[in-house]
């Protein structure tokens, strides 16, 4: 059958493919079968419980069929090559206290990994094509296709799925991107990683600021900071806003506290994923002044584009309110007041109003009163009134 090759040739081909993957910059490479992923039933239960929040695309019939069986994506699939590329560990240098800076998850400090890795995946697929004597059917994905990629990675021997749902490698930790090539040729399969090395460690569960990590090694995405700052397109629930801290895109807390990352995660990465200036800890006052064109210039080719301007400024307002909480700091109030008065997006104005109430003080009180006199959006007016209520006592 086309795609099946003698065992001796299969071993040689697999070794050559893994060597080429390393040459292209993939630190991890393993092979698994296209059989249904072992935890698909748990994924269905997770969806049934509504823990995917507003990510309706995960529950579409077409998506579910493909996640249940990779051969629905590529009927000719004989094997799946699973790959990993490290990015720098999430470490934030101390900033001067007079600045208000947010935090961005480490995977978004550099170039958009989708672009960087797709080029390598296509190059690797071309290499494999050159090794076989028939047209090679294949599909490449990196967090873009309907695959349960952590399941596949565990079955390909790349690590175990930790309590925080991240795939953890015993010598690299969890700071790495996953990518897959579905191949219409057989490769030698790797043994699954079957050992759970989290043991009794509770650090990620205890450190999560919203308690979104569940005992069954799933997340309630509706409470996860990464979901709230990226996937959620509407208002962040008011009771969760203080728990965002200074995170404006994603969150690394559960990875930062993981002993496997503290011991083994690389502190540096290849140039494609090293931090670009101001991407790691953006100036929140400057962020709130970004118009559409400036946002596009600042984040062209960055994963942060996914949040879009309205989501990013929403997050920046919340983070600034948290960092300046109770201080009445004039620079924070001025930035938030300008956003509340001038931003064209009601979503941004709503969160700026909340943040002004959190910063507090006379200046914030006056900014909220002035905004209330001219604001026409009903939800923003409601946020202004809510923010004014605790401040009226200082009038």
């Amino acid at each position: 059958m086309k795609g099946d090759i003698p065992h001796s040739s299969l071993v040689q081909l697999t070794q050559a493919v893994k060597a080429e993957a390393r040459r292209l910059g993939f630190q991890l490479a393993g092979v698994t079968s296209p059989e249904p992923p072992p935890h698909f039933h748990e994924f269905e239960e997770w969806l049934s419980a509504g823990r995917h929040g507003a990510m309706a695309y995960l529950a579409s019939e077409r998506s579910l069929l493909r996640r249940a069986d990779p051969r629905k994506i590529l009927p000719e699939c004989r094997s799946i090559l699973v790959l990993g590329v490290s990015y720098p560990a999430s470490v934030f240098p101390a900033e001067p206290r007079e600045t208000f800076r947010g935090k961005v998850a480490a995977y978004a400090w550099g170039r958009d990994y989708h672009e960087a890795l797709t080029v390598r995946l296509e190059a690797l697929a071309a290499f494999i094509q050159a090794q076989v004597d028939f047209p090679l059917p294949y599909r490449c994905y990196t967090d873009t296709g309907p695959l349960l990629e952590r399941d596949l990675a565990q079955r390909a021997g790349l690590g175990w799925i930790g309590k925080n749902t991240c795939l953890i490698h015993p010598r690299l930790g969890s700071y790495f991107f996953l990518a897959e090539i579905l191949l219409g040729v057989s490769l030698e399969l790797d043994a699954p990683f079957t050992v759970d090395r989290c043991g009794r460690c509770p650090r990620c569960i205890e450190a999560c600021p919203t308690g979104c990590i569940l005992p069954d090694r799933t997340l309630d995405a509706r409470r996860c900071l990464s979901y709230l700052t990226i996937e959620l397109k509407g208002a962040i629930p008011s009771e969760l806003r203080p728990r965002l801290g200074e995170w404006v895109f994603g969150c690394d807390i559960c990875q930062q506290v993981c002993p496997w990352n503290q011991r083994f995660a690389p502190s540096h990465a290849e140039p494609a994923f090293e931090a670009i200036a101001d991407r790691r800890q953006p100036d929140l006052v400057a962020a709130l002044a970004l118009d559409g064109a400036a946002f596009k210039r600042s984040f062209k080719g960055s994963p942060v584009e996914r949040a879009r301007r309205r989501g990013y400024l929403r997050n920046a307002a919340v983070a600034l309110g948290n960092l300046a909480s109770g201080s009445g700091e004039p620079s924070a109030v001025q930035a938030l007041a300008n956003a509340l008065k001038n931003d064209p997006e009601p979503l941004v104005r709503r969160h700026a109003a909340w943040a002004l109430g959190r910063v507090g003080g006379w200046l914030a009180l006056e900014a909220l009163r002035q905004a209330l006199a001219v604001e026409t959006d009903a939800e923003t007016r409601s946020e202004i009134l809510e923010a004014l209520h605790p401040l009226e006592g200082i009038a």
Side-chain angles (χ1 to χ4, degrees):
M1 183 179 295
K2 186 170 70 174
D4 294 326
I5 58 178
H7 183 265
S8 59
S9 299
L10 177 149
V11 172
Q12 292 177 352
L13 175 60
T14 304
Q15 291 173 345
V17 169
K18 289 184 177 180
E20 179 66 7
R22 289 191 293 271
R23 189 190 71 80
L24 288 169
F26 294 105
Q27 287 91 0
L28 302 176
V31 181
T32 188
S33 73
E35 298 300 316
H39 295 103
F40 179 74
H41 180 63
E42 286 84 345
F43 178 68
E44 286 185 304
E45 291 182 338
W46 181 77
L47 291 173
S48 296
R51 291 171 180 161
H52 60 303
M55 296 182 288
Y57 61 89
L58 294 175
S60 73
E61 182 178 356
R62 185 169 184 265
S63 173
L64 284 173
L65 286 172
R66 292 181 164 207
R67 291 177 198 276
D69 185 355
R71 287 166 295 198
K72 297 294 185 183
I73 302 172
L74 184 70
E76 307 93 333
C77 187
R78 297 286 184 271
S79 59
I80 301 175
L81 180 61
V82 187
L83 304 147
V85 178
S86 294
Y87 60 88
S90 183
V91 178
F92 294 93
E95 291 290 332
R97 296 190 66 180
E98 63 271 14
T99 62
F100 293 108
R101 293 193 174 272
K103 289 182 178 179
V104 169
Y107 81 86
W109 291 352
R111 288 175 54 198
D112 189 333
Y113 63 96
H114 299 98
E115 298 178 7
L117 296 187
T118 297
V119 173
R120 301 183 198 186
L121 292 171
E122 291 291 341
L124 185 53
F127 172 85
I128 300 170
Q129 174 65 87
Q131 311 306 306
V132 299
D133 59 1
F134 56 86
L136 177 69
Y138 73 92
R139 294 286 186 277
C140 298
Y141 292 109
T142 175
D143 190 31
T144 52
L147 294 170
L148 296 185
E149 59 180 5
R150 284 167 295 180
D151 252 22
L152 297 176
Q154 183 176 18
R155 202 168 68 190
L158 269 58
W160 75 97
I161 298 174
K163 293 180 181 178
N164 62 358
T165 77
C166 292
L167 189 83
I168 305 174
H169 186 275
R171 293 189 304 278
L172 288 177
S174 63
Y175 289 103
F176 55 86
F177 303 113
L178 288 173
E180 303 79 35
I181 308 180
L182 279 61
L183 292 165
V185 64
S186 297
L187 295 179
E188 184 179 29
L189 302 183
D190 286 287
F193 198 107
T194 58
V195 180
D196 172 20
R197 298 193 178 178
C198 287
R200 298 181 179 179
C201 177
R203 295 188 192 180
C204 60
I205 296 172
E206 294 175 350
C208 178
T210 62
C212 77
I213 303 176
L214 304 176
D216 60 355
R217 300 199 184 212
T218 66
L219 300 178
D220 187 340
R222 297 165 297 184
R223 299 181 63 82
C224 176
L225 299 195
S226 288
Y227 169 83
L228 294 171
T229 57
I230 303 172
E231 299 293 343
L232 182 65
K233 304 309 178 186
I236 298 170
S238 57
E239 69 273 14
L240 295 179
R241 294 174 193 173
R243 302 188 185 190
L244 258 68
E246 58 263 52
W247 293 97
V248 295
F249 187 86
C251 175
D252 284 330
I253 293 173
C254 67
Q255 295 195 91
Q256 290 173 330
V257 301
C258 177
W260 293 96
N261 283 327
Q262 291 175 351
R263 292 182 63 187
F264 298 115
S267 58
H268 298 284
E270 58 183 276
F273 306 121
E274 289 288 0
I276 296 172
D278 294 328
R279 290 267 178 93
R280 179 161 48 184
Q281 290 181 279
D283 184 321
L284 297 175
V285 169
L288 285 171
L290 293 172
D291 60 18
F295 176 80
K296 290 179 179 178
R297 286 195 304 270
S298 297
F299 297 109
K300 182 177 176 58
S302 163
V304 176
E305 284 184 303
R306 182 173 176 81
R308 301 184 179 180
R309 177 191 175 274
R310 67 196 298 266
Y312 183 70
L313 267 66
R314 171 200 64 186
N315 303 339
V318 172
L320 184 54
N322 289 333
L323 283 173
S325 177
S327 70
E329 169 58 41
S331 63
V333 171
Q334 186 62 54
L336 292 165
N338 287 341
L340 178 57
K341 179 182 178 181
N342 300 316
D343 200 277
E345 291 282 357
L347 183 70
V348 176
R349 300 200 301 274
R350 290 176 61 182
H351 290 76
W354 176 87
L356 280 167
R358 190 153 172 80
V359 175
W362 282 98
L363 293 175
L365 174 64
E366 185 60 25
L368 288 164
R369 284 174 169 169
Q370 291 178 8
L372 184 62
V374 296
E375 180 61 61
T376 58
D377 177 71
E379 291 181 326
T380 305
R381 288 182 61 84
S382 178
E383 289 274 6
I384 293 171
L385 289 169
E386 190 72 22
L388 276 170
H389 180 69
L391 299 183
E392 293 288 0
I394 66 174

